[in-house]
mmCIF file with all atom_site columns, all heavy atoms in Angstrom:
data_model
loop_
_atom_site.group_PDB
_atom_site.id
_atom_site.type_symbol
_atom_site.label_atom_id
_atom_site.label_alt_id
_atom_site.label_comp_id
_atom_site.label_asym_id
_atom_site.label_entity_id
_atom_site.label_seq_id
_atom_site.pdbx_PDB_ins_code
_atom_site.Cartn_x
_atom_site.Cartn_y
_atom_site.Cartn_z
_atom_site.occupancy
_atom_site.B_iso_or_equiv
_atom_site.pdbx_formal_charge
_atom_site.auth_seq_id
_atom_site.auth_comp_id
_atom_site.auth_asym_id
_atom_site.auth_atom_id
_atom_site.pdbx_PDB_model_num
ATOM   1  N N   . HIS A 1 250 ? 17.526 -9.713  13.020 1.00 97.00 ? 358 HIS A N   1
ATOM   2  C CA  . HIS A 1 250 ? 16.770 -8.912  12.048 1.00 97.00 ? 358 HIS A CA  1
ATOM   3  C C   . HIS A 1 250 ? 17.512 -7.612  11.735 1.00 97.00 ? 358 HIS A C   1
ATOM   4  O O   . HIS A 1 250 ? 18.338 -7.156  12.522 1.00 97.00 ? 358 HIS A O   1
ATOM   5  C CB  . HIS A 1 250 ? 15.355 -8.660  12.579 1.00 97.00 ? 358 HIS A CB  1
ATOM   6  C CG  . HIS A 1 250 ? 14.550 -9.921  12.625 1.00 97.00 ? 358 HIS A CG  1
ATOM   7  N ND1 . HIS A 1 250 ? 13.895 -10.414 11.523 1.00 97.00 ? 358 HIS A ND1 1
ATOM   8  C CD2 . HIS A 1 250 ? 14.364 -10.823 13.615 1.00 97.00 ? 358 HIS A CD2 1
ATOM   9  C CE1 . HIS A 1 250 ? 13.326 -11.565 11.841 1.00 97.00 ? 358 HIS A CE1 1
ATOM   10 N NE2 . HIS A 1 250 ? 13.589 -11.839 13.111 1.00 97.00 ? 358 HIS A NE2 1
ATOM   11 N N   . SER A 1 251 ? 17.187 -7.025  10.594 1.00 96.00 ? 359 SER A N   1
ATOM   12 C CA  . SER A 1 251 ? 17.994 -5.885  10.115 1.00 96.00 ? 359 SER A CA  1
ATOM   13 C C   . SER A 1 251 ? 17.648 -4.575  10.800 1.00 96.00 ? 359 SER A C   1
ATOM   14 O O   . SER A 1 251 ? 18.469 -3.656  10.815 1.00 96.00 ? 359 SER A O   1
ATOM   15 C CB  . SER A 1 251 ? 17.799 -5.726  8.601  1.00 96.00 ? 359 SER A CB  1
ATOM   16 O OG  . SER A 1 251 ? 16.483 -5.278  8.323  1.00 96.00 ? 359 SER A OG  1
ATOM   17 N N   . LEU A 1 252 ? 16.435 -4.434  11.308 1.00 97.00 ? 360 LEU A N   1
ATOM   18 C CA  . LEU A 1 252 ? 15.972 -3.173  11.915 1.00 97.00 ? 360 LEU A CA  1
ATOM   19 C C   . LEU A 1 252 ? 16.006 -2.019  10.917 1.00 97.00 ? 360 LEU A C   1
ATOM   20 O O   . LEU A 1 252 ? 16.197 -0.872  11.318 1.00 97.00 ? 360 LEU A O   1
ATOM   21 C CB  . LEU A 1 252 ? 16.843 -2.796  13.129 1.00 97.00 ? 360 LEU A CB  1
ATOM   22 C CG  . LEU A 1 252 ? 16.597 -3.504  14.446 1.00 97.00 ? 360 LEU A CG  1
ATOM   23 C CD1 . LEU A 1 252 ? 17.537 -2.948  15.523 1.00 97.00 ? 360 LEU A CD1 1
ATOM   24 C CD2 . LEU A 1 252 ? 15.160 -3.345  14.911 1.00 97.00 ? 360 LEU A CD2 1
ATOM   25 N N   . ASN A 1 258 ? 11.176 2.770   5.083  1.00 98.00 ? 366 ASN A N   1
ATOM   26 C CA  . ASN A 1 258 ? 9.847  3.334   4.832  1.00 98.00 ? 366 ASN A CA  1
ATOM   27 C C   . ASN A 1 258 ? 9.831  4.857   4.931  1.00 98.00 ? 366 ASN A C   1
ATOM   28 O O   . ASN A 1 258 ? 8.876  5.489   4.500  1.00 98.00 ? 366 ASN A O   1
ATOM   29 C CB  . ASN A 1 258 ? 8.813  2.731   5.796  1.00 98.00 ? 366 ASN A CB  1
ATOM   30 C CG  . ASN A 1 258 ? 8.622  1.244   5.547  1.00 98.00 ? 366 ASN A CG  1
ATOM   31 O OD1 . ASN A 1 258 ? 9.156  0.705   4.571  1.00 98.00 ? 366 ASN A OD1 1
ATOM   32 N ND2 . ASN A 1 258 ? 7.888  0.568   6.416  1.00 98.00 ? 366 ASN A ND2 1
ATOM   33 N N   . ASP A 1 385 ? 7.564  1.727   11.897 1.00 98.00 ? 493 ASP A N   1
ATOM   34 C CA  . ASP A 1 385 ? 7.627  1.530   10.440 1.00 98.00 ? 493 ASP A CA  1
ATOM   35 C C   . ASP A 1 385 ? 6.238  1.419   9.809  1.00 98.00 ? 493 ASP A C   1
ATOM   36 O O   . ASP A 1 385 ? 6.097  1.007   8.659  1.00 98.00 ? 493 ASP A O   1
ATOM   37 C CB  . ASP A 1 385 ? 8.468  0.281   10.105 1.00 98.00 ? 493 ASP A CB  1
ATOM   38 C CG  . ASP A 1 385 ? 7.937  -0.978  10.788 1.00 98.00 ? 493 ASP A CG  1
ATOM   39 O OD1 . ASP A 1 385 ? 6.830  -0.940  11.349 1.00 98.00 ? 493 ASP A OD1 1
ATOM   40 O OD2 . ASP A 1 385 ? 8.651  -2.005  10.774 1.00 98.00 ? 493 ASP A OD2 1
HETATM 41 C C1  . LIG B 2 .   ? 0.708  -7.851  11.153 1.00 95.68 ? 129 LIG B C1  1
HETATM 42 C C2  . LIG B 2 .   ? 1.946  -7.333  10.506 1.00 95.68 ? 129 LIG B C2  1
HETATM 43 C C3  . LIG B 2 .   ? 2.195  -5.973  10.479 1.00 95.68 ? 129 LIG B C3  1
HETATM 44 C C4  . LIG B 2 .   ? 3.347  -5.487  9.838  1.00 95.68 ? 129 LIG B C4  1
HETATM 45 N N1  . LIG B 2 .   ? 3.539  -4.147  9.808  1.00 95.68 ? 129 LIG B N1  1
HETATM 46 C C5  . LIG B 2 .   ? 4.598  -3.641  9.129  1.00 95.68 ? 129 LIG B C5  1
HETATM 47 C C6  . LIG B 2 .   ? 4.795  -2.244  9.051  1.00 95.68 ? 129 LIG B C6  1
HETATM 48 O O1  . LIG B 2 .   ? 4.046  -1.476  9.604  1.00 95.68 ? 129 LIG B O1  1
HETATM 49 N N2  . LIG B 2 .   ? 5.853  -1.784  8.348  1.00 95.68 ? 129 LIG B N2  1
HETATM 50 C C7  . LIG B 2 .   ? 6.741  -2.628  7.753  1.00 95.68 ? 129 LIG B C7  1
HETATM 51 O O2  . LIG B 2 .   ? 7.685  -2.156  7.124  1.00 95.68 ? 129 LIG B O2  1
HETATM 52 N N3  . LIG B 2 .   ? 6.586  -3.946  7.835  1.00 95.68 ? 129 LIG B N3  1
HETATM 53 C C8  . LIG B 2 .   ? 5.546  -4.480  8.507  1.00 95.68 ? 129 LIG B C8  1
HETATM 54 N N4  . LIG B 2 .   ? 5.391  -5.825  8.597  1.00 95.68 ? 129 LIG B N4  1
HETATM 55 C C9  . LIG B 2 .   ? 6.386  -6.696  7.957  1.00 95.68 ? 129 LIG B C9  1
HETATM 56 C C10 . LIG B 2 .   ? 7.587  -7.072  8.866  1.00 95.68 ? 129 LIG B C10 1
HETATM 57 O O3  . LIG B 2 .   ? 7.084  -7.566  10.081 1.00 95.68 ? 129 LIG B O3  1
HETATM 58 C C11 . LIG B 2 .   ? 8.504  -5.882  9.119  1.00 95.68 ? 129 LIG B C11 1
HETATM 59 O O4  . LIG B 2 .   ? 8.883  -5.307  7.892  1.00 95.68 ? 129 LIG B O4  1
HETATM 60 C C12 . LIG B 2 .   ? 9.778  -6.295  9.836  1.00 95.68 ? 129 LIG B C12 1
HETATM 61 O O5  . LIG B 2 .   ? 9.460  -6.951  11.036 1.00 95.68 ? 129 LIG B O5  1
HETATM 62 C C13 . LIG B 2 .   ? 10.627 -5.066  10.094 1.00 95.68 ? 129 LIG B C13 1
HETATM 63 O O6  . LIG B 2 .   ? 11.783 -5.359  10.820 1.00 95.68 ? 129 LIG B O6  1
HETATM 64 P P1  . LIG B 2 .   ? 13.209 -5.514  10.109 1.00 95.68 ? 129 LIG B P1  1
HETATM 65 O O7  . LIG B 2 .   ? 13.523 -4.310  9.324  1.00 95.68 ? 129 LIG B O7  1
HETATM 66 O O8  . LIG B 2 .   ? 14.182 -5.936  11.136 1.00 95.68 ? 129 LIG B O8  1
HETATM 67 O O9  . LIG B 2 .   ? 12.892 -6.687  9.114  1.00 95.68 ? 129 LIG B O9  1
HETATM 68 P P2  . LIG B 2 .   ? 13.765 -7.901  8.566  1.00 95.68 ? 129 LIG B P2  1
HETATM 69 O O10 . LIG B 2 .   ? 13.301 -9.139  9.217  1.00 95.68 ? 129 LIG B O10 1
HETATM 70 O O11 . LIG B 2 .   ? 15.207 -7.580  8.639  1.00 95.68 ? 129 LIG B O11 1
HETATM 71 O O12 . LIG B 2 .   ? 13.287 -7.982  7.045  1.00 95.68 ? 129 LIG B O12 1
HETATM 72 C C14 . LIG B 2 .   ? 13.924 -7.293  5.988  1.00 95.68 ? 129 LIG B C14 1
HETATM 73 C C15 . LIG B 2 .   ? 13.036 -6.261  5.354  1.00 95.68 ? 129 LIG B C15 1
HETATM 74 O O13 . LIG B 2 .   ? 12.028 -6.851  4.585  1.00 95.68 ? 129 LIG B O13 1
HETATM 75 C C16 . LIG B 2 .   ? 10.903 -5.988  4.505  1.00 95.68 ? 129 LIG B C16 1
HETATM 76 N N5  . LIG B 2 .   ? 9.713  -6.796  4.790  1.00 95.68 ? 129 LIG B N5  1
HETATM 77 C C17 . LIG B 2 .   ? 9.696  -8.070  5.192  1.00 95.68 ? 129 LIG B C17 1
HETATM 78 N N6  . LIG B 2 .   ? 8.450  -8.537  5.262  1.00 95.68 ? 129 LIG B N6  1
HETATM 79 C C18 . LIG B 2 .   ? 7.649  -7.541  4.902  1.00 95.68 ? 129 LIG B C18 1
HETATM 80 C C19 . LIG B 2 .   ? 6.236  -7.420  4.780  1.00 95.68 ? 129 LIG B C19 1
HETATM 81 N N7  . LIG B 2 .   ? 5.402  -8.428  5.053  1.00 95.68 ? 129 LIG B N7  1
HETATM 82 N N8  . LIG B 2 .   ? 5.756  -6.218  4.433  1.00 95.68 ? 129 LIG B N8  1
HETATM 83 C C20 . LIG B 2 .   ? 6.589  -5.183  4.151  1.00 95.68 ? 129 LIG B C20 1
HETATM 84 N N9  . LIG B 2 .   ? 7.927  -5.255  4.248  1.00 95.68 ? 129 LIG B N9  1
HETATM 85 C C21 . LIG B 2 .   ? 8.447  -6.425  4.603  1.00 95.68 ? 129 LIG B C21 1
HETATM 86 C C22 . LIG B 2 .   ? 11.119 -4.860  5.486  1.00 95.68 ? 129 LIG B C22 1
HETATM 87 O O14 . LIG B 2 .   ? 11.480 -3.700  4.774  1.00 95.68 ? 129 LIG B O14 1
HETATM 88 C C23 . LIG B 2 .   ? 12.315 -5.335  6.297  1.00 95.68 ? 129 LIG B C23 1
HETATM 89 O O15 . LIG B 2 .   ? 13.163 -4.289  6.698  1.00 95.68 ? 129 LIG B O15 1
HETATM 90 C C24 . LIG B 2 .   ? 4.257  -6.361  9.236  1.00 95.68 ? 129 LIG B C24 1
HETATM 91 C C25 . LIG B 2 .   ? 4.007  -7.729  9.288  1.00 95.68 ? 129 LIG B C25 1
HETATM 92 C C26 . LIG B 2 .   ? 2.867  -8.212  9.897  1.00 95.68 ? 129 LIG B C26 1
HETATM 93 C C27 . LIG B 2 .   ? 2.618  -9.670  9.918  1.00 95.68 ? 129 LIG B C27 1
#
Side-chain angles (χ1 to χ4, degrees):
H358 292 277
S359 69
L360 281 182
N366 295 353
D493 56 11

